[in-house]
Amino acid sequence: MSYVFTFLLSARLFISPPELLVRLCDTCIKQQQLDQSPLDTAKVRKFGPKILQLLTEWTETFPTDFREEKMVGLFKDIIHRIAPCDEAYWKTLNQVLQTLNQKLAAIAQGEESIVKVNASSVSSISDKLVGFKTKPPPIQKDILSICNDPYTLAQQLTHVELVRRALSGPDLQYSVFVSQQPCFSEQKKKTTNLEAYVRWFNRLCYLVATEICMPAKKKQRAQVIEFFIDVARECFNIGNFNSLMAIISGMNMSPVSRLKKTWGKAKTAKFFILEHQMDPTGNFYNYRTALRGAVHRSQTANSIREKIVIPFFSLLIKDIYFLNEGCANRLPNGHVHFAKFVELARQVGEFMTWKQIECPFETDRSILHYLHTAPIFSEDGLYLASYESESPENQVEKDRWKALRYDRYQ
């Protein structure tokens, strides 16, 4: 299975999945003489389980390859050729196609939900920014009014991560090779869910920053900072490193980090510990150490909660990208550099294993709705809210505040 996964993952660098299946079927028909009558029953019965195993693994690990009718047609054709030798092949074909259709339907449903969520989020953001140009509006709700328990919010963030990560899995398989494909624009379409996952990370960063900058009183802002520190700690304990990094990134945005009086009011010892864990020094050495610990816990876990591993997704993509770009696809003798693809498949396969974990936490629809649709500020909006919370300290900040206020009233 490891070899098959590595081959199917890397082969698309050299040949499209439909063309690969065409060649595979042609080779099988010629080698096994499947176009002759009568068939060599003994020969086909020895060959049949192997081709069934290959095609079954293909549909399970790369289901989106079979969105094309041509792929399904080729699959059916090869099975129809060997089915007369064993009735069990028909049953297996129907089972595989049923499972495949269920997977494709689930992926399509997930993609539709992401589109709806993104559309509603964009609408909310746009409305918020239009209002902000006329006057600084109060937020009718804030995160603490929706959820004041850090562990509960960390659970719901984990729910979002697991759902979006499951949908981004097939895209991750393609993303490694997108830039090297001749038909770049067509391949780019296959990374829609991946891009949605990245947008979710950015949205969470800005949501954290917005929630901190909006309260008028310093005490309230400090309370929000302490709340998100606790949420980040719970994310770390769960193994949700992607939400953890998004929260830390949002708290480190300039409009937030400049609020010195607010930070002075907050208890920040736990924040600096978490920040140290995600320190980029040494190619994120501390984070990678913590990730290995989470992976080990997952492998020896007695409960589903302990199996959760959600890596810092942007760094994972970066690692895979540089591994792909840093090594040639072919050896000096012209052979495929298969050792490179074995390592790529290991990293992608590890992610695919993690994404199969179902979220053990109950869904809280009100919290999830807020996370996806709560209005957030642009960078300029954050700076303006920040300056109105704590006045500019130097000439650069004063000039920027003046320009932002001018733009607001235009």
Side-chain angles (χ1 to χ4, degrees), residues 90-143:
W90 290 112
K91 183 178 180 180
T92 302
L93 171 63
N94 291 329
Q95 289 175 341
V96 171
L97 291 178
Q98 183 179 7
T99 302
L100 174 63
N101 289 332
Q102 289 173 349
K103 282 194 172 187
L104 291 177
I107 291 173
Q109 184 178 7
E111 289 173 343
E112 290 176 4
S113 66
I114 283 181
V115 169
K116 291 178 181 178
V117 166
N118 287 338
S120 62
S121 297
V122 169
S123 174
S124 297
I125 296 167
S126 299
D127 293 344
K128 185 66 176 177
L129 293 178
V130 170
F132 198 75
K133 287 181 179 179
T134 57
K135 64 177 182 179
I139 292 180
Q140 293 181 352
K141 293 182 178 180
D142 57 47
I143 190 64

Side-chain angles (χ1 to χ4, degrees), residues 289-314:
T289 301
L291 179 63
R292 284 195 297 271
V295 171
H296 177 72
R297 181 185 68 179
S298 177
Q299 293 169 342
T300 59
N302 296 316
S303 67
I304 297 178
R305 294 188 180 195
E306 293 177 334
K307 290 183 178 181
I308 296 174
V309 180
I310 304 175
F312 175 28
F313 198 63
S314 295

Side-chain angles (χ1 to χ4, degrees), residues 162 165-166 168-170 350-358:
L162 289 174
R165 188 177 64 172
S168 67
E350 197 171 44
F351 177 83
M352 298 297 288
T353 299
W354 296 337
K355 84 176 185 64
Q356 292 172 1
I357 298 171
E358 294 185 6

